[in-house]
Amino acid sequence: MMLERRHTDPTKDRDVIIRVRGVEVGFGERTILKGLDLDVYRGEILGFVGGSGQGKSVLTRAILGLVPKRAGTIEVLGQNLDDLSVEQRRQLERHWGVLFQQGALFSALTVKQNIQVPMREYLNLSDRLLDEIAMLKIEMVGLNPDAADKLPSELSGGMIKRAALARALALDPDIVFLDEPTSGLDPIGAGEFDDLIATLQRTLGLTVFMVTHDLDSLYSVCDRIAALGEGKILAEGPIETMLESDHPWLRSYFHGKRARAVMAGGAQG
Amino acid sequence: MIVAQSTLAHEPQATIERAEGQTTVRLSGPWTAPHAERVEAVAEAIASEVETYPLIFDMGGIERLDTLGAWTLNRTRHELSAKGKADIANASPEQATLMEETAYREFQGDQRPRHSRLVDFFVDVGRTVVDAGKDLVGGVGFLGELVSALVRVIVHPGRFRGTAVINQLEQIAYRGVPIIVLISFLVGCIVSQQGIFQLIKFGATPFVIDLIGILVLRELGVLLTSIMVAGRSGSAFTAEIGSMKMREEIDALRVMGLDPIEVLIVPRIMALVIGLPLLTFISSIAALVGGGLTTWIYGDISPDIFLTRLRAAVSLNTFLVGMIKAPFMALVIGIIATLEGLAVEGSAESLGRHVTSSVVKAIFMVIVLDGLFAMFFAAINY
């Protein structure tokens, strides 16, 4: 992994916001992550790629504490997750927001109420501010204000993603985890969503951890890419590093037919 | 950045300085969501205390700014703008972007119209009546579709799905036997015990056998079975058909040129129409056994006498009244269950709602239908 960083690393002196060291996760007999190391730097958009079933979601869920790990340490915002008390853990959870693949909006609540759930839980806001901030988030993610009083079942796929992103941003988190944010969106919608993530990242100073398969997203918004395979990080670095790598999986991923099409499109544009 | 204990002492603050020609509001501390109460209070204080304009918000001292802080500042600026200019100064580039993104705008309030409770009540009643009417029309329409599908199956016997019917019969009838036997037996016991307690006062204990025989064969057997089947099989139909609808399996059948009613619904309803009378018979026998045992224990009436008296009390038509009703109950349960199943929309929540309403409607209709039959049989003296 260190060998991959041949040229001087612009990220070297930057603040590490998530530090994963030697993490092992397995289910039953099967070990999925085998001593994985990964750093995520403050203010970057990290694209996380890997074949199906390689454990991309598992790592995300391990960082979020949704699956137990067998070994290794995970530090978020300089704090080792294993050392935290329940109260400290709650404090830490305010600093991240998660966009689940299917949105995971609470189906019984309207979009606005969904966004207000974490705010009601953690913050002491007046009703007026609660409404205004929720509406502001709705506008920031590019949803029409009409959507505020709709139930998730009345929204389209793209709107669900946006609403879920608004909920993830409800507490102004430092880190946002996005699980395949553009899956299920049409190319135009996916492109708009990429732009939205980039804009929000700039405006709110977010660190974005994005699990994705979308080559367009990797080319257009990701500052750095980490590729997962065989339970470890195969390579990490900007897109150029990925293209230079001669690991077979990375070669077929970044030099496949679909990747060439994206590259060609990028060159023309 | 974790808010450590020491920084909690830091609170958002503002000091107002009046100089010649302009007022400067120096902001400091964290203007973030965790300090929301204080942020709002300070903003209000600024709005009420500033008197001279133009006004400058000096953001140089702000440690942290998030959407909430930026929004509150922008809102305050907007409120003051009616009286004079209010600008910001010394904002870092990030803060400036955030201030721009959270620029003040009006939000439409809650769009849902509010009415008085009385109006809401009438709207509710009206809607329920209309829904009930639509259910009725839908039910009749569906009955027509079902009958035409049945006729098609009869005309082309090759399209009859025997295996599916047998499979459904196993699910509905065979697997339902234990629970139906158990509850019928218990209800038979209870009715007979209470009957004995009341009739003993008149010295008319043996009449409990008439009571049990007629009540069970005419009403209880078929009612208990129908309610049980509505709960067990009606809900299962709705859930099965509903989840197939949710995952577009019904559409898949349709595009393959298969008629979902013929494939999914005819076998289920046929199995119900065959199975429910069978279960009714079993249920009646179980209830009679329960009643017989109880009269033996509580009323000292031996099984011999019970049987002789039972034979005198009931005739074939007592038995037939119960059995005639059973297929109609089956039809009602089947139609309601499949209609609710087909009404399921995309979400799992909708599936749950329709399963509940399928069971509730089916039980309700079973009891209404039983009442109608009671009036009908009374009118024809059967």
Side-chain angles (χ1 to χ4, degrees), chain B residues 88-373:
Chain B
I88 54 171
N90 291 335
S92 68
E94 293 87 24
Q95 289 173 349
T97 346
L98 190 56
M99 289 299 280
E100 239 166 75
E101 283 290 322
T102 59
Y104 184 81
R105 62 206 89 168
E106 293 281 346
F107 295 116
Q108 299 128 302
D110 206 332
Q111 308 240 313
R112 279 165 297 186
R114 287 170 197 279
H115 301 291
S116 72
R117 286 225 182 113
L118 195 67
V119 173
D120 280 350
F121 173 74
F122 284 123
V123 167
D124 245 25
V125 171
R127 204 165 275 156
T128 312
V129 171
V130 169
D131 282 351
K134 276 187 189 154
D135 274 2
L136 192 67
V137 172
V140 171
F142 186 71
L143 186 64
E145 264 185 87
L146 188 70
V147 169
S148 76
L150 270 173
V151 169
R152 259 186 319 223
V153 170
I154 291 166
V155 174
H156 309 279
R159 283 158 81 170
F160 176 71
R161 284 156 208 275
T163 327
V165 176
I166 301 293
N167 179 33
Q168 289 298 327
L169 259 177
E170 185 195 342
Q171 299 293 334
I172 297 163
Y174 182 65
R175 288 180 193 269
V177 169
I179 183 70
I180 284 176
V181 165
L182 183 67
I183 58 160
S184 306
F185 176 82
L186 290 176
V187 169
C189 291
I190 294 161
V191 170
S192 131
Q193 186 217 32
Q194 289 302 313
I196 289 168
F197 286 162
Q198 298 308 313
L199 290 171
I200 209 163
K201 296 176 194 160
F202 308 101
T205 323
F207 281 101
V208 78
I209 300 162
D210 299 52
L211 170 76
I212 285 286
I214 294 169
L215 192 60
V216 164
L217 291 178
R218 284 187 81 112
E219 303 291 343
L220 275 187
V222 67
L223 261 185
L224 283 176
T225 312
S226 305
I227 290 172
M228 212 49 215
V229 168
R232 255 188 101 249
S233 309
S235 59
F237 283 10
T238 311
E240 284 162 9
I241 292 170
S243 66
M244 290 185 81
K245 175 95 189 298
M246 251 167 76
R247 286 180 299 203
E248 299 180 311
E249 289 171 46
I250 305 244
D251 297 336
L253 279 176
R254 214 164 256 151
V255 296
M256 287 180 216
L258 296 167
D259 179 8
I261 296 191
E262 221 176 277
V263 177
L264 298 174
I265 294 164
V266 168
R268 285 184 164 81
I269 291 190
M270 277 179 117
L272 262 184
V273 170
I274 300 167
L276 211 140
L278 295 178
L279 285 174
T280 302
F281 178 76
I282 292 171
S283 154
S284 303
I285 300 301
L288 287 178
V289 170
L293 270 179
T294 316
T295 46
W296 193 10
I297 296 165
Y298 280 87
D300 265 342
I301 296 170
S302 74
D304 281 356
I305 301 170
F306 181 84
L307 283 177
T308 323
R309 181 120 199 132
L310 186 64
R311 215 173 296 154
V314 305
S315 56
L316 183 65
N317 72 350
T318 322
F319 170 70
L320 283 182
V321 165
M323 296 307 283
I324 288 168
K325 288 193 275 191
F328 291 95
M329 302 295 194
L331 209 55
V332 165
I333 294 169
I335 288 176
I336 291 175
T338 39
L339 271 181
E340 289 291 331
L342 291 174
V344 168
E345 287 144 27
S347 69
E349 206 196 358
S350 140
L351 180 65
R353 221 174 26 236
H354 283 288
V355 170
T356 311
S357 96
S358 153
V359 173
V360 172
K361 277 184 193 166
I363 291 177
F364 172 75
M365 280 312 294
V366 158
I367 291 170
V368 168
L369 195 63
D370 195 58
L372 292 176
F373 268 116

Side-chain angles (χ1 to χ4, degrees), chain A residues 177-210:
Chain A
F177 293 89
L178 309 174
D179 194 357
E180 307 215 5
T182 52
S183 73
L185 302 185
D186 64 76
I188 301 170
E192 285 173 353
F193 206 84
D194 282 342
D195 292 343
L196 173 68
I197 291 167
T199 314
L200 289 173
Q201 191 270 337
R202 248 180 290 121
T203 321
L204 304 174
L206 298 172
T207 306
V208 179
F209 182 95
M210 175 157 68

Side-chain angles (χ1 to χ4, degrees), chain A residues 42 77 79 92 94-95 107 123-126 128-129 132-133 135-137 139-140 145 149 172 174 203-204, chain B residues 1-2 33-34 36-37 40 64 66-68 71-72 75 79 97-98 101-102 105 107-108 110-112 349:
Chain A
R42 183 179 287 281
L77 294 153
Q79 289 171 302
L92 179 71
R94 297 168 55 144
H95 294 267
S107 52
L123 306 175
N124 192 5
L125 302 188
S126 64
R128 179 182 170 199
L129 209 52
E132 285 176 345
I133 299 292
M135 291 305 294
L136 186 68
K137 304 273 170 177
E139 290 206 350
M140 283 173 88
D149 294 318
D172 276 294
D174 294 301
T203 321
L204 304 174
Chain B
M1 192 175 317
I2 294 287
E37 256 178 306
E40 256 189 313
R64 258 166 74 73
D66 68 1
T67 4
L68 182 132
W71 168 258
T72 317
R75 193 175 76 188
E79 280 161 9
T97 346
L98 190 56
E101 283 290 322
T102 59
R105 62 206 89 168
F107 295 116
Q108 299 128 302
D110 206 332
Q111 308 240 313
R112 279 165 297 186
E349 206 196 358

Side-chain angles (χ1 to χ4, degrees), chain A:
Chain A
M1 161 196 144
M2 295 308 286
L3 290 175
E4 291 291 337
R5 297 198 196 144
R6 265 165 264 160
H7 35 252
T8 45
D9 189 350
T11 56
K12 202 162 246 170
D13 45 298
R14 280 165 67 186
D15 193 2
V16 176
I17 199 162
I18 302 174
R19 188 192 302 273
V20 177
R21 286 292 175 268
V23 162
E24 279 179 30
V25 179
F27 301 100
E29 297 281 289
R30 236 174 100 224
T31 315
I32 294 181
L33 302 181
K34 300 159 186 160
L36 184 144
D37 298 334
L38 179 68
D39 285 331
V40 182
Y41 300 98
R42 183 179 287 281
E44 75 172 347
I45 301 183
L46 178 78
F48 195 52
V49 298
S52 298
Q54 293 289 331
K56 298 186 300 293
S57 298
V58 173
L59 177 64
T60 320
R61 294 172 73 83
I63 297 173
L64 295 171
L66 296 173
V67 282
K69 56 181 166 36
R70 289 186 178 157
T73 55
I74 297 174
E75 281 176 29
V76 176
L77 294 153
Q79 289 171 302
N80 187 338
L81 295 186
D82 298 327
D83 299 342
L84 298 182
S85 67
V86 176
E87 183 47 38
Q88 283 169 321
R89 173 96 199 174
R90 252 175 77 87
Q91 286 289 326
L92 179 71
E93 279 165 1
R94 297 168 55 144
H95 294 267
W96 68 42
V98 186
L99 169 62
F100 288 95
Q101 201 172 343
Q102 312 290 340
L105 292 172
F106 303 121
S107 52
L109 305 179
T110 63
V111 169
K112 190 159 86 177
Q113 287 166 338
N114 258 292
I115 299 169
Q116 287 170 342
V117 167
M119 299 201 286
R120 276 182 206 281
E121 196 60 31
Y122 284 108
L123 306 175
N124 192 5
L125 302 188
S126 64
D127 282 348
R128 179 182 170 199
L129 209 52
L130 203 58
D131 270 354
E132 285 176 345
I133 299 292
M135 291 305 294
L136 186 68
K137 304 273 170 177
I138 287 173
E139 290 206 350
M140 283 173 88
V141 297
L143 277 179
N144 197 309
D146 295 346
D149 294 318
K150 285 195 176 138
L151 290 170
S153 55
E154 299 166 309
L155 302 180
S156 69
M159 286 163 83
I160 286 178
K161 297 259 181 185
R162 283 171 192 266
L165 182 62
R167 188 180 67 181
L169 295 175
L171 294 175
D172 276 294
D174 294 301
I175 312 166
V176 190
F177 293 89
L178 309 174
D179 194 357
E180 307 215 5
T182 52
S183 73
L185 302 185
D186 64 76
I188 301 170
E192 285 173 353
F193 206 84
D194 282 342
D195 292 343
L196 173 68
I197 291 167
T199 314
L200 289 173
Q201 191 270 337
R202 248 180 290 121
T203 321
L204 304 174
L206 298 172
T207 306
V208 179
F209 182 95
M210 175 157 68
V211 174
T212 187
H213 270 307
D214 190 336
L215 285 157
D216 282 306
S217 307
L218 291 173
Y219 274 94
S220 60
V221 293
C222 292
D223 299 319
R224 230 157 47 89
I225 296 166
L228 178 75
E230 298 144 27
K232 291 195 159 79
I233 299 291
L234 295 175
E236 61 175 310
I239 189 90
E240 294 79 25
T241 317
M242 296 292 130
L243 294 172
E244 283 163 19
S245 166
D246 35 59
H247 187 281
W249 188 82
L250 287 175
R251 282 199 65 78
S252 53
Y253 193 96
F254 287 99
H255 295 279
K257 211 185 337 172
R258 310 184 66 151
R260 281 201 298 273
V262 174
M263 271 174 83
Q268 278 160 20

